[in-house]
Amino acid sequence: MFKKLKEKKGFTLVELIVVLVILAILAALLIPALTGYIDKAKEKSITAETRQTVMAAQTLLDEDYAAADTKDASATATTFTAWPTKGACTKTEVAKLAEVDESNIDAVTATSGKITKLVYKDTKVKKQCTYEVASGAKKGTYKVEDISK
């Protein structure tokens, strides 16, 4: 009778508990690392969408400038801080060309026919990306921030 009990193969309760503890330790180490990767992916995503929006706005602003009469060229080439209501460079047209949601495009500033600042907010991922060109610089920078509701 004792011989039959010893021949049975299986795991003891202690062995199962040890395995569960090891799995819990591994999960505790991996979860913070994974959340960091998810946050970085969200930042890269909103930066890419902002870049698309800036390029679309610049393209349409250039088209407006090229299509303008010589009388109106100065108006198109100077500064605007609100979206134009006529011409190709409207908020709706920029969103359509950039393939982004129009409500995410928050603010734009253009000086001398060049986009100098654009703010893109994504409330789904609770992040905001600001594209800004410093005076005298040729390239702009993208700054991602968390926004709270």
Side-chain angles (χ1 to χ4, degrees), residues 89-107:
C89 193
T90 63
K91 188 175 183 179
T92 305
E93 292 300 315
V94 170
K96 192 187 315 181
L97 183 61
E99 298 179 352
V100 296
D101 187 9
E102 183 178 343
S103 62
N104 289 349
I105 304 170
D106 194 41

Side-chain angles (χ1 to χ4, degrees), residues 24-46:
I25 291 170
L26 289 174
L29 292 173
L30 289 178
I31 288 174
L34 290 177
T35 56
Y37 289 129
I38 291 169
D39 197 41
K40 284 181 185 177
K42 286 179 182 177
E43 284 184 13
K44 287 187 179 190
S45 172
I46 195 168

